[in-house]
Amino acid sequence: VSEGTGELRITLAWSDPAAQPYAKVALVNDLDLVLVRPGGAAGGVTILGNHKLNDTRCEDAACAEADRLNTNEQIVVENPAAGVYQVWVMGSSVVYHDDEDNVPTQAYALAITGPGLEAISASDSHCPPGCP
């Protein structure tokens, strides 16, 4: 992210398979959107998707909890500091499979918007210590 970026917005969406009739929780496959902001020597600050769902004043990981109900997650960072931001999609619970291999999978869409964005290759990024 370049200096002077007005807003960084990251959105994750997926189509969840149908839950069993009368299931207590309708979400079958649970993905988590994770953003690791630059943090200098202390390491990056982790923000989870929909971190402002319960507390609109939430700006850091101290008040963030993983969203266990929705198939759309979003992170918005107003006036982000310049630096390298890492975006991760984590499968906290992927149990449904519809292929012959019986391997649970979940397709998803990820959109990242904001001025001054540059992509880095997956080989240049590593999940930092404490990354979910």
Side-chain angles (χ1 to χ4, degrees):
V1 172
S2 301
E3 179 110 17
T5 301
E7 178 180 86
L8 174 62
R9 185 176 297 260
I10 305 153
T11 305
L12 168 68
W14 69 97
S15 295
D16 201 44
Q20 293 295 320
Y22 307 109
K24 189 174 183 178
V25 177
L27 189 63
V28 175
N29 288 340
D30 186 10
L31 302 182
D32 290 323
L33 178 60
V34 179
L35 174 67
V36 181
R37 300 188 316 190
V45 175
T46 302
I47 300 175
L48 300 175
N50 293 347
H51 65 288
K52 293 187 178 186
L53 201 59
N54 296 323
D55 186 349
T56 58
R57 299 164 296 161
C58 181
E59 292 297 333
D60 58 28
C63 56
E65 293 181 14
D67 182 344
R68 299 286 176 238
L69 298 175
N70 298 297
T71 58
N72 293 286
E73 296 192 9
Q74 188 172 73
I75 296 172
V76 178
V77 180
E78 306 266 346
N79 302 312
V84 176
Y85 289 70
Q86 296 182 26
V87 177
W88 298 88
V89 176
M90 313 296 275
S92 65
S93 177
V94 179
V95 297
Y96 179 79
H97 57 83
D98 61 358
D99 59 8
E100 295 175 8
D101 296 332
N102 289 330
V103 176
T105 59
Q106 177 61 61
Y108 61 86
L110 182 67
I112 303 173
T113 59
L117 299 178
E118 293 180 32
I120 60 172
S121 71
S123 64
D124 292 337
S125 62
H126 303 284
C127 192
C131 181

